[in-house]
Amino acid sequence: MSNNSCMDLTAKGGFSFDLCKRNAMLSQKGLKLPPFRKTGTTIVGLVFQDGVILGADTRATEGPIVCDKNCEKIHYMAPNIYCCGAGTAADTEAVTDMVSSQLQLHRYHTGRESRVVTALTLLKKHLFNYQGHVSAALVLGGVDCTGPHLHTIYPHGSTDTLPFATMGSGSLAAMSVFESKYKEGLSRDEGIKLVSEAVCSGIFNDLGSGSNVDVCVITKGHKEYLRNHMLPNPRTYVSERGYSFPKKTEVLMTKITPMKEKVEVTEGGDAMEE
Amino acid sequence: MESHKDCEINGPHSMGTTIIGVTYNGGVVLGADSRTSTGVYVANRASDKITQLTDNVYLCRSGSAADSQTVSDYVRYFLHQHTIQLGQPATVKVAANLVRLLSYSNKNMLQTGMIIGGWDKYEGGKIFGVPLGGTLLELPFTIGGSGSTYLYGFFDQAWKEGMTQEEAEQLVVKAVSLAIARDGASGGVVRTVTINSEGVTRKYYPEDKLPRWHEELEPQDSLLDILSSSSPEPMVS
């Protein structure tokens, strides 16, 4: 009987839950999991007269600490499609990079510009397969041959198609701005102004969002990525005295040793073929 | 607190919902509200819960938004292949069976109740219900979603055999608006889809067009429209 249980260990495939047991035992003993880096976030998108405008804040948090004051949350998917990501930073980056590569392969395969619904379907299928454990909430926007499109994608894999959308912890603050001021057929400047206002509302009223506003305008055949379009949180106070640290590490000796040539370069070998 | 709030906003997206399917003399009428909620936040106040499976068969979705969207995508794909192989439009019964097969075989993973309605030349207008668990029920009318609990008595009294298209549509709109009045998880606008031998008609009833019930107030224009349109500049330090 005991022999059989030893043999089982090597035979089976599939996911090994041993580490999960270890984690459970450690957390029971009182060890806390290291906080993973989330993008607390306010991400927004709206459809205007000629296309879509996406907006995002730039704060990335690790628990209560801001780990990146100027991160990029508007990810490239295709020349005509961009995607804002909220949730766990690693998940949003990985999933958008993966689908962006799949879209490029698809473009090579079909010889056509990518469509927004293609990106949407690839993302939602992936997220549904992981049943919400890939914590990525996305606002996907782009302009393709069928027109401008704006979609929201939730971590469990459901999607909505909307004229204006907000996601992330600051979504309620940003949505209040959109609900009161959005109208159809906005011009480019009006749209950028409204998107900036909505993201600012998230930045100032939500603890998980902050720093600067990134905006991306996508129209037919043209896109503008306005990185740090607004900087409403400049570093206003810098100490005049400067920062001096009293105890320096003493330099005892300076010796410079040039690295010997370890590789012989032979000229006129076989040329690398194109 | 922040992580708890995050979980709620990005929590499973479910459609509180009221969905209805009713047969009448010559076809079917499907109706639904338009609210999708995550916890207490309304994620989408104008969602479309009546999705197309084929030209002549539509599906009302309730429960988990992700599950119902995925099931409807798979069924649309299978029905498309089936239509090509068959060489003629699929019947409502086949569509309903496909939904039931997916729902029943994945009953432990899925949390979605659906109503399938359509018209085909063999049986005419038909309504099928596929609630949680994957039962297949062929019925003259059926209701689903969290708001449906408020409508069982109403339908027992109000539904009649052999209604006209007008009567059926009015019944569905009245029923959804009654459920919206009492169910917190249902709201927004009322959407109806009428399917008969002539084709498909989509109708949309915004909040101000719906009847007022007991203690309901008239909708008012937002005060924001009454005040001057120029807004204060956003706060910038």
Side-chain angles (χ1 to χ4, degrees), chain B residues 134-161:
Chain B
T135 322
L136 177 61
L137 292 162
E138 203 252 287
L139 298 155
F141 71 91
T142 188
I143 54 183
S146 59
S148 66
T149 51
Y150 306 100
L151 297 176
Y152 284 103
F154 172 73
F155 268 92
D156 283 344
Q157 182 253 332
W159 191 80
K160 285 182 270 299
E161 186 82 47

Side-chain angles (χ1 to χ4, degrees), chain A residues 154 158-159 179 181 204, chain B residues 13 44-45 67 69 231 235:
Chain A
Y154 288 81
S158 59
T159 59
E179 283 284 18
K181 294 189 183 158
F204 293 119
Chain B
H13 208 190
N44 188 353
R45 62 178 167 87
D67 290 348
Q69 282 180 9
S231 59
M235 194 172 96

Side-chain angles (χ1 to χ4, degrees), chain B residues 61-201:
Chain B
R61 303 178 289 112
S62 78
S64 157
D67 290 348
S68 63
Q69 282 180 9
T70 304
V71 167
S72 76
D73 283 347
Y74 273 111
V75 173
R76 195 180 312 124
Y77 164 64
F78 292 140
L79 271 180
H80 188 210
Q81 287 190 321
H82 173 71
T83 306
I84 291 170
Q85 289 168 350
L86 198 64
Q88 57 184 11
T91 57
V92 190
K93 191 187 282 194
V94 166
N97 252 301
L98 282 169
V99 175
R100 185 262 306 184
L101 286 170
L102 279 173
S103 254
Y104 182 73
S105 41
N106 295 298
K107 61 155 75 191
N108 293 324
M109 321 286 187
L110 293 174
Q111 199 180 44
T112 168
M114 287 166 283
I115 296 178
I116 299 100
W119 186 94
D120 58 52
K121 67 183 187 198
Y122 299 105
E123 307 258 349
K126 278 275 182 244
I127 290 283
F128 291 86
V130 179
L132 258 60
T135 322
L136 177 61
L137 292 162
E138 203 252 287
L139 298 155
F141 71 91
T142 188
I143 54 183
S146 59
S148 66
T149 51
Y150 306 100
L151 297 176
Y152 284 103
F154 172 73
F155 268 92
D156 283 344
Q157 182 253 332
W159 191 80
K160 285 182 270 299
E161 186 82 47
M163 288 185 284
T164 65
Q165 182 177 329
E166 268 305 309
E167 286 176 337
E169 277 177 10
Q170 287 310 312
L171 177 67
V172 166
V173 173
K174 187 172 176 188
V176 179
S177 76
L178 278 169
I180 286 174
R182 285 291 179 178
D183 179 31
S186 303
V189 303
V190 179
R191 297 192 195 272
T192 63
V193 172
T194 309
I195 313 171
N196 51 32
S197 56
E198 276 133 49
V200 176
T201 325

Side-chain angles (χ1 to χ4, degrees), chain A residues 38 63 124-125 128 137 154-160 162 164 166 168-169 171-172 175 179-181 197 204 206 232, chain B residues 2 5-6 9-13 36 38 41 43-45 47 65-67 69-70 73 110 224 231 234-237:
Chain A
K38 296 178 76 90
K124 77 158 23 183
K125 286 282 180 285
F128 183 80
Y154 288 81
H156 287 261
S158 59
T159 59
D160 284 315
L162 295 160
F164 56 91
T166 65
S169 56
S171 64
L172 268 67
M175 186 51 98
E179 283 284 18
S180 46
K181 294 189 183 158
E197 227 181 290
F204 293 119
D206 174 46
Chain B
E2 186 215 337
K5 210 168 71 149
D6 258 355
I9 298 291
N10 294 331
H13 208 190
T36 315
T38 42
Y41 180 63
N44 188 353
R45 62 178 167 87
S47 47
D67 290 348
Q69 282 180 9
T70 304
D73 283 347
L110 293 174
L224 290 169
S231 59
M235 194 172 96
V236 176
S237 54

Side-chain angles (χ1 to χ4, degrees), chain A residues 155-224:
Chain A
H156 287 261
S158 59
T159 59
D160 284 315
T161 308
L162 295 160
F164 56 91
T166 65
M167 295 278 263
S169 56
S171 64
L172 268 67
M175 186 51 98
S176 63
V177 173
F178 275 165
E179 283 284 18
S180 46
K181 294 189 183 158
Y182 179 83
K183 52 187 207 295
E184 286 186 7
L186 288 163
S187 72
R188 182 181 174 278
D189 291 329
E190 285 175 335
I192 292 179
K193 183 161 172 285
L194 185 58
V195 160
S196 306
E197 227 181 290
V199 179
C200 278
S201 169
I203 284 172
F204 293 119
N205 299 105
D206 174 46
L207 298 178
S209 314
S211 300
N212 319 119
V213 181
D214 284 350
V215 175
C216 184
V217 185
I218 311 172
T219 53
K220 180 96 184 121
H222 180 63
K223 63 159 190 278
E224 264 182 84

Side-chain angles (χ1 to χ4, degrees), chain B residues 22-67:
Chain B
V22 154
T23 57
Y24 69 91
N25 189 11
V28 299
V29 179
L30 296 172
D33 73 308
S34 70
R35 176 172 290 187
T36 315
S37 46
T38 42
V40 296
Y41 180 63
V42 175
N44 188 353
R45 62 178 167 87
S47 47
D48 184 11
K49 303 183 189 181
I50 311 180
T51 49
Q52 183 183 31
L53 296 179
T54 69
D55 289 337
N56 55 321
V57 181
Y58 279 66
L59 172 79
C60 293
R61 303 178 289 112
S62 78
S64 157
D67 290 348

